Amino acid sequence: MKKNIVLFVLFILPIVAYLFFASGVNGFTKLPTITPNTADLGDWQSLDGKKVSLNGKVTILGFMGDELLKNRGNLFNLNQKIYQRYHEFKDVQFVMICPIGTEKDAKKVVDALGAFTDVAQWRFVFASTDAINTYYDQLKLVEKLDEHTGTPNVYIIDKKRNLRGRKLVKDAKEGYNTFHPAELSNEMLDDFKVILYEYRAALKKNNNATRKI
């Protein structure tokens, strides 16, 4: 009897564990699409004067509103929990949409982040409040922007401009609340890893794996 138990522990249990974890990985190699084919940003002015596009990039998209400085702690949370882990990947960008008139505030935030972070992948773009509301509406999200044209949530947009998230009934997730570091460290980090794994697997399959993703 003891011999059978030892054989089970040494040979059978590892195989069962492998099959269990392998099936789990396979089940999470795709993050559901919440809204397909979202709009690009057009010719909106950016903080550094360079054109910002969502095409061909994995984008963390945010709407900062006109209280950018007041809510800058949310960006610092995002920077610490997500950005600093992945900013070296050239196919990843963090795009914050802000109302026209907040350019100086955005510059202060970028300068503050730049004191301890390479801010090359942080991008701030500016538009009228009407344009921002119109853009946000086409994302077809349940939650609406607040009276300051902002939200603490950020969203994952893939390289084909599809908004990605969770669709499970008890765990639906359109966006990730930057006010809560734990949510960034858990749900958002998990989902972001799924997106990166998806692209890495595709690149590996096509024998085109690079340092980008």
Side-chain angles (χ1 to χ4, degrees):
M1 181 66 178
K2 291 183 178 179
K3 182 179 180 180
N4 290 336
I5 293 175
V6 171
L7 290 173
F8 176 81
V9 171
L10 290 177
F11 297 103
I12 305 301
L13 189 59
I15 294 174
V16 172
Y18 170 78
L19 292 174
F20 174 79
F21 287 111
S23 63
V25 171
N26 289 337
F28 290 92
T29 54
K30 287 285 187 179
L31 192 66
T33 295
I34 302 298
T35 306
N37 194 32
T38 63
D40 203 1
L41 300 178
D43 295 324
W44 289 359
Q45 185 67 33
S46 69
L47 189 62
D48 59 8
K50 298 178 181 178
K51 181 178 175 59
V52 178
S53 174
L54 306 184
N55 290 319
K57 297 277 189 178
V58 176
T59 302
I60 302 303
L61 185 67
F63 296 80
M64 293 309 300
D66 58 24
E67 293 192 322
L68 179 56
L69 287 182
K70 180 180 179 180
N71 298 316
R72 63 187 181 276
N74 295 351
L75 292 181
F76 281 84
N77 290 338
L78 184 61
N79 186 75
Q80 293 298 109
K81 299 300 181 180
I82 307 294
Y83 180 89
Q84 288 193 355
R85 290 173 179 257
Y86 297 107
H87 72 274
E88 292 183 355
F89 292 107
K90 302 307 179 185
D91 288 351
V92 172
Q93 63 180 354
F94 288 62
V95 177
M96 300 297 119
I97 298 176
C98 309
I100 291 172
T102 61
E103 290 87 348
K104 290 183 179 179
D105 291 344
K107 182 64 166 57
K108 291 178 181 178
V109 171
V110 171
D111 288 344
L113 291 172
F116 53 89
T117 301
D118 175 3
V119 294
Q121 305 306 103
W122 277 110
R123 311 301 304 277
F124 287 78
V125 296
F126 305 92
S128 68
T129 55
D130 287 342
I132 293 173
N133 280 306
T134 297
Y135 185 88
Y136 186 87
D137 287 345
Q138 60 87 37
L139 295 177
K140 300 177 181 178
L141 300 169
V142 174
E143 184 177 336
K144 302 303 180 183
L145 295 178
D146 61 25
E147 65 272 20
H148 300 285
T149 325
T151 173
N153 288 347
V154 292
Y155 308 93
I156 297 176
I157 310 292
D158 68 21
K159 290 186 176 185
K160 295 183 178 179
R161 304 203 316 269
N162 300 311
L163 189 151
R164 309 286 287 274
R166 304 184 183 187
K167 279 189 171 181
L168 300 178
V169 174
K170 294 183 179 181
D171 196 21
K173 181 68 64 176
E174 294 181 331
Y176 310 86
N177 195 322
T178 56
F179 183 76
H180 301 294
E183 183 167 328
L184 301 180
S185 297
N186 296 305
E187 291 98 327
M188 184 175 184
L189 185 58
D190 287 347
D191 291 354
F192 197 58
K193 286 179 179 178
V194 171
I195 288 290
L196 298 186
Y197 175 83
E198 177 183 323
Y199 284 112
R200 285 171 177 165
L203 288 170
K204 185 176 181 180
K205 183 177 180 180
N206 295 324
N207 297 317
N208 284 324
T210 69
R211 280 288 299 164
K212 292 183 178 180
I213 285 185

